[in-house]
Amino acid sequence: MKLLLVLGSDKTFDNMSLFLKPLGFELIRYRNVQKAMDNIDEIDPVGIIISAKDFPRHWKTMVRFIRYERSKNECPIIILKGNSFPEEEINKAMALEVNGLVLESLEKPEETEKIQTLLARYVSVEDKRKNRRYRPEGWSRFDFIFSHPQNEKYIMGTVKTVSSTGISFEPDHPALTENLKSGDTVQYCSLRVGDHIISPLCALRQPGKILSMEFLSFPENEKELLDIYLENLPLEELKAKQGQK
């Protein structure tokens, strides 16, 4: 399944690759709107994501061009916007039958979830359950701590989302992680999942107030422990609600 990304920012592409590739998409990226339009028939994408932040004047031209031959049900189009996106532009996007608008920063887990939901509505996404991001609730048991790769200080905080492929984490003291950069390998991690503590090898994919990490590997059968716990979360939620009655 080819997904066309028309983006100028390498950082945005890297962030999106983290959660789109595990869903089975082949990502085709263009930094030039005209070249993307010239090759649209050859690519024949199942969906398109365009950055209005990078291409504020040309994104509308591309959407019009696509909609001449591909309806919103045949080829979903998602527009990435900046923090400032006038109501007039929102109205134009709706008139052009854009399927959704998402903040390009992707700082909040809700933004990545929105992209996944929009694509899943129109495209047969592979392994959706396995790669679904879960937000920890009071009844679930997720805790995460890691050792800073440079100074070995322990970083504690709050798990914001977790999936079979990675985790987003808000440090208690963000200043301790200011010098971390995308691509850094984090070797010493401890993740509590229910009654188990596992030790994934991680790579930092998105620094900032909320860190996004990808699981690179696990010792022995620890990946299976994580997958089983995630699969059983609906049952755990039911048990927790019954216990509250």
Side-chain angles (χ1 to χ4, degrees):
M1 297 186 299
K2 294 180 180 179
L3 189 63
L4 176 60
L5 277 61
V6 187
L7 309 170
S9 168
D10 291 336
K11 180 181 178 181
T12 301
F13 178 73
D14 290 341
N15 290 340
M16 299 195 75
S17 298
L18 178 63
F19 66 89
L20 289 175
K21 284 185 177 180
L23 297 177
F25 289 111
E26 177 186 353
L27 304 184
I28 308 297
R29 179 192 178 184
Y30 278 83
R31 294 181 174 87
N32 183 287
V33 172
Q34 185 60 56
K35 288 183 178 179
M37 292 166 59
D38 290 343
N39 291 284
I40 194 73
D41 289 333
E42 179 182 348
I43 300 168
D44 193 22
V46 297
I48 300 172
I49 299 176
I50 311 171
S51 172
K53 181 180 178 182
D54 294 333
F55 308 106
R57 289 185 296 174
H58 298 105
W59 69 266
K60 293 183 284 290
T61 300
M62 183 169 185
V63 173
R64 290 192 190 96
F65 177 80
I66 295 165
R67 286 291 176 253
Y68 282 137
E69 295 185 354
R70 293 170 169 83
S71 71
K72 65 185 302 182
N73 291 323
E74 295 172 321
C75 183
I77 299 175
I78 298 172
I79 299 299
L80 302 180
K81 61 179 182 175
N83 292 324
S84 177
F85 198 74
E87 185 175 352
E88 179 184 355
E89 293 290 88
I90 295 175
N91 293 334
K92 288 180 181 177
M94 293 177 63
L96 292 170
E97 297 189 324
V98 164
N99 295 75
L101 298 166
V102 179
L103 281 173
E104 182 167 333
S105 63
L106 301 176
E107 290 179 351
K108 296 181 179 180
E110 292 89 339
E111 302 301 325
T112 57
E113 290 178 5
K114 186 176 181 180
I115 292 175
Q116 291 174 316
T117 300
L118 285 167
L119 291 175
R121 189 178 300 164
Y122 301 96
V123 181
S124 178
V125 177
E126 293 180 7
D127 212 5
K128 287 183 286 186
R129 182 183 65 173
K130 177 181 176 183
N131 295 289
R132 176 185 169 187
R133 289 174 177 256
Y134 295 88
R135 295 189 203 176
E137 304 289 346
W139 46 265
S140 60
R141 300 184 68 192
F142 289 108
D143 294 296
F144 186 66
I145 183 172
F146 68 92
S147 176
H148 193 291
Q150 279 94 47
N151 57 37
E152 298 186 352
K153 290 184 178 179
Y154 286 109
I155 309 297
M156 294 178 285
T158 304
V159 176
K160 306 300 288 186
T161 64
V162 62
S163 73
S164 180
T165 57
I167 187 171
S168 64
F169 175 78
E170 184 174 10
D172 289 339
H173 303 287
L176 296 178
T177 62
E178 285 181 347
N179 61 340
L180 291 177
K181 58 184 182 298
S182 179
D184 281 348
T185 299
V186 185
Q187 293 185 338
Y188 303 108
C189 305
S190 293
L191 172 63
R192 172 183 286 280
V193 286
D195 295 327
H196 302 282
I197 296 178
I198 61 179
S199 304
L201 174 67
C202 298
L204 181 65
R205 295 308 182 200
Q206 182 176 327
K209 182 180 178 182
I210 296 179
L211 307 178
S212 179
M213 294 191 183
E214 178 185 5
F215 298 140
L216 298 179
S217 64
F218 294 83
E220 300 179 354
N221 67 334
E222 291 187 356
K223 176 66 162 57
E224 183 180 359
L225 292 175
L226 173 62
D227 288 343
I228 291 174
Y229 188 71
L230 292 176
E231 289 175 6
N232 288 334
L233 278 178
L235 178 60
E236 295 298 323
E237 181 179 12
L238 179 60
K239 288 180 180 179
K241 290 182 178 178
Q242 289 177 338
Q244 293 173 359
K245 292 181 179 180

